[in-house]
Amino acid sequence: MKTNSDSTTEVVFQGISGAPGLAFGPVYLWRKNKLIVPKHSGQNPAVELDRLNLALQAASSQLQGLSDQLAIEGHTAEAAVFLAHIELVNDRGLQRRVQTALASGTNVESIWDETVEKYAKQLEAMPDPTFALRAADLRDVSERVLRILMNEPVQVKALTQPSVVIAQDLTPSETVGLNKEFVLAFCTASGGPTSHTAILAKALCLPAVVSLGEKLMEVAIGTPLLVDGSKGTVTVSPDETTLKDFLSRSSQATALSKIELASAKLPATTQDGITFEIVANIGGEKDARSALEFGAEGVGLFRTEFVFLDRSSSPSDEEQLEAYRAVLREMGQRPVVIRTLDAGGDKELTYLEMPPEANPFLGERAIRLCLSRPELFKQQLRALLRAGAGHNLRIMFPMIATMAELRNAKALFEEARIEVLSMGYTLPESVQVGIMVEIPSTAIMADRFATEVDFFSIGTNDLTQYSLAADRTNPKVAYLNDHCHPAILRLIAQTTKAAHNAGIWVGVCGEMAGDPDAIPLLVGLGIDELSMSPGLIPHAKSLIRELNMKQAVSLAQDAMEKDSAAEVRECVRQQRSEI
Ligand code: PEP
Ligand code: MG
């Protein structure tokens, strides 16, 4: 937090960007009555279990009601959030854990609260940000169940004028009660860039700043606020100069994002006529739908972990088939890259009996786990092949480190193909098979790998953590995890050259692909396909349309000679300001 010397009242809070955009308006303070969960000895465990079952039923019908109401009002995406919450309410694995813990004789409110919290923490520890969102959903559901058990409703004052919503953090249940036509922006004291607040704001195309600190909650209701979602700043009581500058930037930005969205479905072609394929990273059917609205030309990464998580047993052939088919159906003939299971390490599947590891990121993760459980792997491959008939399916293996792993995975793929045929199902006409390049050994050996696959997709999230030896989930080493580091650029350049020499295409599906600083570099390095969160697509496309290939190539060459990620970013911004 810093005060402006020109003014006695203006105060600037620095947080983390949750969703881009600018807004100005009075504070609406969202503070709910805090729930204190009692801990004492309970009645007989069977009676306590009955109380929980009744509360779960009541929560389920509340959620169904909310979902129906939202669907009638046309808010299909939010309606789906509550349907997903019903699945969490019905999670048998979770209920079993609670039932076991009730044997201790403690009251069910406390057991439920502790069991859910433990599970939510496990989800939060996973590197993929979408799991943190699932943890937030789980806590939201848990609070609904607790309020029913404790007979304590939420009290909220209605939002009646356009306002900036300030809250500690916001859950889906809380935001559904907000009159969104009056929300100008969201600002939260806690939460991270992947919290529900940030995701919701992106979906509603509203700015959001998260992690602003506890002092934020002391700002009085009605105080004027300026929100800069891209910079992650909030200015309290701005002075006249700040306000003037803000209003002029805001009207420019609004005009620009309207233009970007209007042309989102057009190709991303540079000034000198080179077109890049812009596709989406998704976790399921719902994301696929929104990806198309934002102009995605296909899917560059479908993380299939979602199909396997939050369950007490492995998904059946038919469940997997339906999950993959739903996405392929949504995408029609567009290309869809589906990544085989990337579990293990810290993405624990309780039903697989995975022993704890000292260094989970360097352990039996992704393809390593699948190769050690060939039946699990082949079951997924069969479901993918069956779902792919009539579509443009591309299958991708994660975390490939050696040629032997690739060959073993391909051999199992061939076995699965023969099994599908012998079961009498139709196979897709052709399926491209590729690998993620996310381990330095694979980038270095890219020339060898390129002769045995149809494509590469560079996973810059892991490639950066492994190259700089910095755990991507550890905030203490976050300063090292910058994908713009020249070492990463060099690995990408080497991988791209190898791919093109062998006549195959190469994409990037890590967060780097949607980073405005990185996009000119990736274009200059000759990447063919960029895959990112759907909401980032319109801006990425418009950035590419401003580029000139020759300049981008020379920018990328210069960047690789820099000493640090900070220098690389500076170099890109310098060039952008000259355009
Ligand atoms: C990556 O590592 O860049 C990637 C896209 O995979 P994930 O983030 O799911 O590990
Ligand atoms: Mg990865």
Side-chain angles (χ1 to χ4, degrees):
M1 190 177 76
K2 73 171 193 263
T3 50
N4 186 335
S5 54
D6 299 342
S7 155
T8 48
T9 52
E10 181 174 297
V11 178
V12 180
F13 284 77
Q14 179 69 57
I16 297 174
S17 164
L22 301 164
F24 174 60
V27 167
Y28 168 84
L29 196 59
W30 168 279
R31 217 194 268 280
K32 66 178 171 183
N33 47 331
K34 196 168 163 26
L35 197 64
I36 313 279
V37 181
K39 183 167 185 174
H40 49 76
S41 26
Q43 307 172 64
N44 167 332
V47 176
E48 294 289 299
L49 186 62
D50 281 349
R51 290 184 56 225
L52 177 66
N53 285 336
L54 284 175
L56 292 175
Q57 273 171 24
S60 183
S61 56
Q62 277 182 6
L63 289 163
Q64 188 65 56
L66 277 171
S67 172
D68 291 347
Q69 179 202 328
L70 287 164
I72 290 166
E73 290 167 4
H75 303 298
T76 42
E78 285 180 280
V81 169
F82 290 104
L83 288 183
H85 280 195
I86 295 179
E87 279 172 32
L88 294 175
V89 169
N90 294 330
D91 184 333
R92 295 259 169 260
L94 183 61
Q95 288 171 20
R96 261 200 298 276
R97 286 196 216 181
V98 175
Q99 188 173 355
T100 312
L102 277 174
S104 67
T106 310
N107 63 319
V108 72
E109 290 87 346
S110 164
I111 297 281
W112 169 261
D113 187 38
E114 283 169 12
T115 311
V116 171
E117 192 47 38
K118 209 165 139 199
Y119 189 21
K121 285 219 168 84
Q122 284 173 355
L123 287 171
E124 248 167 12
M126 295 177 180
D128 181 344
T130 31
F131 294 114
L133 183 61
R134 186 149 307 195
D137 282 342
L138 195 60
R139 289 196 177 103
D140 191 10
V141 167
S142 166
E143 179 162 341
R144 180 178 298 280
V145 172
L146 284 171
R147 284 189 186 275
I148 294 169
L149 279 169
M150 294 162 63
N151 201 12
E152 231 189 277
V154 186
Q155 288 135 23
V156 198
K157 209 171 134 283
L159 180 59
T160 52
Q161 59 162 326
S163 307
V164 173
V165 174
I166 282 190
Q168 182 66 38
D169 201 3
L170 285 163
T171 66
S173 291
E174 289 162 357
T175 51
V176 79
L178 277 176
N179 191 350
K180 301 212 198 35
E181 70 178 282
F182 291 136
V183 179
L184 299 171
F186 293 108
C187 301
T188 58
S190 55
T194 57
S195 60
H196 176 72
T197 311
I199 310 263
L200 175 82
K202 277 188 197 135
L204 294 171
C205 293
L206 291 173
V209 182
V210 297
S211 207
L212 282 153
E214 293 307 315
K215 281 255 170 232
L216 178 76
M217 301 306 286
E218 291 168 17
V219 179
I221 294 172
T223 312
L225 281 196
L226 286 184
V227 182
D228 186 328
S230 306
K231 289 190 186 156
T233 57
V234 169
T235 310
V236 181
S237 306
D239 63 27
E240 214 177 299
T241 326
T242 311
L243 194 56
K244 229 167 150 187
D245 168 62
F246 175 86
L247 291 175
S248 107
R249 283 198 304 132
S250 171
S251 62
Q252 278 170 19
T254 311
L256 191 65
S257 67
K258 269 196 193 140
I259 296 169
E260 288 177 354
L261 195 61
S263 57
K265 292 187 180 156
L266 299 174
T269 306
T270 60
Q271 295 282 318
D272 42 354
I274 313 288
T275 298
F276 291 82
E277 190 173 41
I278 309 298
V279 289
N281 288 357
I282 64 162
E285 182 189 3
K286 195 166 60 117
D287 297 345
R289 218 166 296 135
S290 99
L292 289 176
E293 279 161 25
F294 282 111
E297 293 151 13
V299 169
L301 170 64
F302 174 8
R303 290 179 162 109
T304 59
E305 292 81 81
F306 280 110
V307 183
F308 289 79
L309 274 163
D310 290 350
R311 312 176 45 100
S312 46
S313 62
S314 183
S316 67
D317 290 21
E318 297 306 313
E319 282 172 315
Q320 291 199 43
L321 177 69
E322 197 32 56
Y324 308 145
R325 199 173 259 167
V327 166
L328 287 158
R329 221 186 274 133
E330 201 63 53
M331 287 288 152
Q333 290 308 307
R334 295 177 182 87
V336 177
V337 178
I338 306 190
R339 176 172 79 182
T340 57
L341 184 62
D342 183 3
D346 58 350
K347 287 185 206 167
E348 193 198 353
L349 300 182
T350 41
Y351 47 88
L352 282 190
E353 283 175 22
M354 291 151 51
E357 295 177 305
N359 291 299
F361 280 120
L362 305 179
E364 196 181 44
R365 190 186 156 189
I367 200 69
R368 303 172 185 183
L369 178 96
C370 284
L371 291 177
S372 75
R373 295 165 202 249
E375 272 320 309
L376 177 85
F377 188 42
K378 278 204 293 175
Q379 183 196 27
Q380 181 175 38
L381 293 170
R382 285 193 303 267
L384 287 172
L385 284 166
R386 284 173 61 194
H391 295 282
N392 189 350
L393 170 67
R394 299 168 176 187
I395 293 178
M396 172 160 81
F397 305 132
M399 293 278 300
I400 293 282
T402 67
M403 297 287 284
E405 283 173 341
L406 170 63
R407 289 174 188 153
N408 289 340
K410 282 176 74 176
L412 290 168
F413 175 72
E414 188 50 25
E415 281 180 30
R417 212 180 61 80
I418 292 166
E419 284 164 15
V420 170
L421 259 189
S422 66
M423 288 153 106
Y425 295 113
T426 316
L427 285 170
E429 258 179 44
S430 72
V431 178
Q432 291 193 5
V433 175
I435 57 169
M436 289 198 69
V437 177
E438 47 188 351
I439 297 182
S441 62
T442 310
I444 293 163
M445 298 270 289
D447 55 337
R448 300 302 172 88
F449 282 98
T451 60
E452 300 191 20
V453 293
D454 297 314
F455 67 92
F456 287 150
S457 184
I458 306 176
T460 47
N461 306 339
D462 277 319
L463 188 61
T464 310
Q465 87 159 337
Y466 293 131
S467 301
L468 289 133
D471 179 343
R472 62 194 257 194
T473 64
N474 182 346
K476 288 198 191 121
V477 292
Y479 71 96
L480 287 167
N481 259 316
D482 189 332
H483 47 231
C484 283
H485 193 282
I488 305 303
L489 302 183
R490 291 180 189 207
L491 288 173
I492 295 174
Q494 185 168 343
T495 306
T496 308
K497 192 167 164 221
H500 290 168
N501 282 345
I504 64 168
W505 64 268
V506 55
V508 169
C509 64
E511 295 308 303
M512 186 176 190
D515 175 350
D517 284 347
I519 289 172
L521 299 167
L522 296 175
V523 163
L525 290 170
I527 291 294
D528 304 292
E529 176 242 45
L530 297 175
S531 189
M532 63 196 75
S533 290
L536 303 177
I537 291 176
H539 187 54
K541 283 191 170 182
S542 86
L543 261 180
I544 292 174
R545 291 188 197 116
E546 282 172 13
L547 298 174
N548 166 299
M549 209 47 205
K550 225 163 144 195
Q551 278 174 358
V553 170
S554 103
L555 175 71
Q557 293 305 321
D558 289 351
M560 282 191 286
E561 298 307 318
K562 299 290 173 202
D563 288 346
S564 67
E567 281 180 28
V568 169
R569 287 186 184 273
E570 185 49 41
C571 175
V572 178
R573 288 174 194 174
Q574 175 85 33
Q575 196 188 74
R576 197 179 305 145
S577 67
E578 286 164 11
I579 291 176

